[in-house]
Amino acid sequence: DFQAAAAFQTALERVGNIASDGRPILGIDSHDLLSLLLETDELKGSASDIHFKLEELIASGKPMPRFYQTCGTDDFLYEINVAFRDRFKDRIDLTYHEEPGIHEWGYWDRNIQRIINWLPITANSDAAKKEAK
């Protein structure tokens, strides 16, 4: 089980992750990517549909992770991110951040530290002891 999850944008996470140069990685195939970008219904209700999986988790009553979502206000996926936020903000523990920016590495690079600070990470006790010496 996860304690927390973070998203730079939610649309592509429905089927996997995209490298900064746009080539598919982590098991996403071109058919799923095309279905997503053309907003087809093929992914709805599948294991690749983050909305469906989150609705299932909410309905189950099981413990939920915290979520962090960030998106640039000039990102071509901004409206999709706002729709996700509005759909789930009152039903999950969601921290949402937006600022001017587009869908590119500079935005993500500026925001990764914010996400790292938000994550429930505790220092390794052995590492902390070494640093204290």
Side-chain angles (χ1 to χ4, degrees), residues 94-114:
L94 175 64
T95 299
Y96 179 84
H97 171 78
E98 65 181 45
E99 64 183 60
I102 62 172
H103 192 88
E104 51 90 28
W105 175 251
Y107 180 87
W108 302 323
D109 191 42
R110 287 191 311 274
N111 282 278
I112 192 65
Q113 189 61 51
R114 182 179 281 113

Side-chain angles (χ1 to χ4, degrees), residues 1-130:
D1 293 342
F2 294 98
Q3 288 185 2
F8 280 103
Q9 49 72 32
T10 61
L12 295 177
E13 289 181 0
R14 288 189 284 177
V15 293
N17 197 354
I18 299 296
S20 62
D21 66 1
R23 287 182 291 175
I25 60 171
L26 298 179
I28 183 174
D29 65 26
S30 58
H31 179 265
D32 284 348
L33 179 60
L34 187 58
S35 294
L36 173 66
L37 294 178
L38 295 178
E39 298 186 12
T40 67
D41 291 333
E42 289 185 42
L43 298 176
K44 289 185 178 176
S46 75
S48 295
D49 180 347
I50 191 171
H51 296 251
F52 176 74
K53 297 306 288 179
L54 196 48
E55 291 288 359
E56 277 188 332
L57 185 57
I58 291 168
S60 76
K62 293 179 181 175
M64 301 264 303
R66 296 168 42 221
F67 294 89
Y68 189 103
Q69 178 187 12
T70 184
C71 185
T73 56
D74 303 307
D75 192 316
F76 69 97
L77 296 169
Y78 177 72
E79 289 81 16
I80 293 170
N81 280 271
V82 169
F84 179 91
R85 178 201 65 198
D86 291 349
R87 179 175 179 175
F88 292 106
K89 67 182 177 184
D90 296 327
R91 300 166 55 209
I92 63 174
D93 183 354
L94 175 64
T95 299
Y96 179 84
H97 171 78
E98 65 181 45
E99 64 183 60
I102 62 172
H103 192 88
E104 51 90 28
W105 175 251
Y107 180 87
W108 302 323
D109 191 42
R110 287 191 311 274
N111 282 278
I112 192 65
Q113 189 61 51
R114 182 179 281 113
I115 292 171
I116 290 170
N117 290 337
W118 169 85
L119 287 169
I121 299 172
T122 56
N124 177 308
S125 60
D126 291 337
K129 287 177 189 173
K130 288 179 184 176

